[in-house]
Amino acid sequence: GAGAHTNFSTVTMREENGIIEIERAIDKLSRHHIRHIKAYDPHEGKDNERRLTGIHETSSIHDFSAGVANRNCSIRIPRECAEDRKGYLEDRRPASNCDPYQVTEVLVKTCCLNE
């Protein structure tokens, strides 16, 4: 199925050595995986259960994972960002029928506001 992969960054992530802030954000996201899964489709994860199977370039809905240039994980750091040590992360979990404002809200709350 289709997803609404979401690229996310802050000013700090895009500055020199921003990879440190990207890794901090990934750590925060790992601690709130279930909250994000529930926010990423209108049926609190039920739609994503069919898509996030761990096959066909998706991660398992049950496990959080992150990696560089890895399309089989929850959060992907693009290869160029890893090489440049700055840039953005890609959250591959949002469903294609997500509310983009809800996705943005939960990302900001987790990564920026430490909620």
Side-chain angles (χ1 to χ4, degrees):
H5 303 163
T6 303
N7 295 341
F8 178 80
S9 70
T10 62
V11 170
T12 310
M13 291 177 186
R14 296 187 303 272
E15 292 174 344
E16 289 303 312
N17 291 313
I19 193 74
I20 295 167
E21 191 62 28
I22 292 169
E23 290 169 351
R24 280 190 192 121
I26 291 170
D27 180 61
K28 293 174 188 179
L29 291 166
S30 73
R31 290 183 263 132
H32 296 282
H33 178 64
I34 300 302
R35 178 174 75 170
H36 283 254
I37 290 296
K38 288 182 176 182
Y40 287 172
D41 81 49
H43 299 106
E44 296 192 336
K46 296 298 181 195
D47 293 338
N48 253 342
E49 283 180 2
R50 293 176 295 183
R51 184 176 74 86
L52 297 178
T53 60
I55 55 175
H56 307 299
E57 293 191 338
T58 66
S59 62
S60 168
I61 194 168
H62 304 291
D63 302 309
F64 180 88
S65 58
V68 173
N70 183 349
R71 296 182 186 276
N72 295 319
C73 59
S74 308
I75 304 294
R76 181 178 76 93
I77 300 172
R79 185 178 316 283
E80 183 179 359
C81 295
E83 290 171 356
D84 293 346
R85 299 194 48 77
K86 64 181 179 181
Y88 64 95
L89 60 84
E90 177 190 36
D91 193 333
R92 299 178 58 78
R93 299 171 295 175
S96 59
N97 62 340
C98 70
D99 176 342
Y101 297 102
Q102 193 168 358
V103 171
T104 303
E105 177 184 26
V106 74
L107 282 168
V108 169
K109 282 183 173 180
T110 299
C111 297
C112 302
L113 302 177
N114 299 312
E115 293 181 11

